Amino acid sequence: MEDAAIPAVDISSEVAEPAAALWLAVTTPRGVNAELMPFIRMTFPEADMRLADAPLDTPLFGSWIFLFGVLPFDRHTFVIHEVGARHFVETSRSLLQKLWRHERSLTETAGGTIIRDVVTVIPRFSFAAPATNFVVRAIFRHRHRRLARLYGAAQEKPAGPHRRAF
C-alpha cells in the first residue's frame, strides 16, 4: 500500500442474515447501491455482474459516482485483487483519490454475519486528507446502518477488537 497509509475506516457490524445469502446480495451492483443510497449511487456496466467472475488485477470498469443519485462528483476505475469465499479486496483510482482500497469480509456467527469493512484512502491532494477521511467514515457508518435495516440487525453486543463505534 502506498505511503503506509492508515485506514480511514475499520468498521464492523453484525446483521441477522446468514453469510452465504448476504454475500450474494452485497457483491452485486443492486446490493452496493442499496447500501449507498440515498446519498450516493454508482454506475456499473452490467446490472447482473458477479464479483466472483471478475478477472483479478485488471481494471474492470469505470464507474461514475453520483451525489444523491443525480450529481456526478467522481469517477472510479475498479480493480479486484482478491476474492475469497466471503471476502474481497478492491482498489480504485479516481479523479479525487490517488488510492481507494476497500477490503470487506463476512464472518458467520451464531446469530447471523459480521460484516467488516476496512477502507484506506489517499486523496490526490494531501491537504484534503482530513476532510476525505471524515466523509469516508460517514459513508461507511451510513452503509452499516443501511445493512442493518436491509438484512436485520443482530442483537447488540459490547464493542470488541474489530467493532468500532464512530
Side-chain angles (χ1 to χ4, degrees):
M1 200 168 339
E2 296 180 22
D3 307 328
I6 297 170
V9 172
D10 184 340
I11 186 171
S12 297
S13 44
E14 189 171 359
V15 298
E17 189 79 19
L22 186 61
W23 179 254
L24 293 174
V26 301
T27 58
T28 65
R30 174 182 267 163
V32 169
N33 279 324
E35 290 177 39
L36 292 168
M37 285 299 285
F39 301 114
I40 295 174
R41 179 176 62 86
M42 296 173 51
T43 62
F44 293 87
E46 301 173 35
D48 61 348
M49 68 182 297
R50 293 172 21 111
L51 188 64
D53 297 336
L56 298 180
D57 301 321
T58 302
L60 293 178
F61 59 90
S63 173
W64 282 105
I65 312 299
F66 291 87
L67 186 61
F68 303 114
V70 294
L71 181 65
F73 73 93
D74 202 3
R75 182 157 173 86
H76 284 245
T77 300
F78 288 92
V79 177
I80 303 295
H81 297 286
E82 290 178 33
V83 177
R86 292 192 181 96
H87 86 275
F88 68 79
V89 176
E90 66 91 1
T91 61
S92 60
R93 297 191 186 291
S94 76
L95 300 173
L96 299 174
Q97 312 309 329
K98 186 185 333 181
L99 172 71
W100 169 281
R101 183 181 190 277
H102 179 197
E103 181 175 352
R104 173 169 276 183
S105 61
L106 306 183
T107 304
E108 189 92 35
T109 66
T113 305
I114 294 174
I115 304 165
R116 182 176 183 209
D117 287 301
V118 179
V119 181
T120 304
V121 181
I122 300 174
R124 292 218 177 266
F125 306 103
S126 59
F127 68 85
T132 299
N133 288 344
F134 175 83
V135 169
V136 171
R137 284 191 298 272
I139 289 168
F140 275 84
R141 283 193 306 269
H142 167 74
R143 286 181 83 162
H144 278 252
R145 285 191 302 271
R146 293 277 299 164
L147 286 162
R149 273 185 254 144
L150 291 165
Y151 304 107
Q155 291 184 348
E156 287 298 315
K157 297 180 179 179
H162 296 294
R163 190 173 169 92
R164 296 186 183 171
F166 289 97

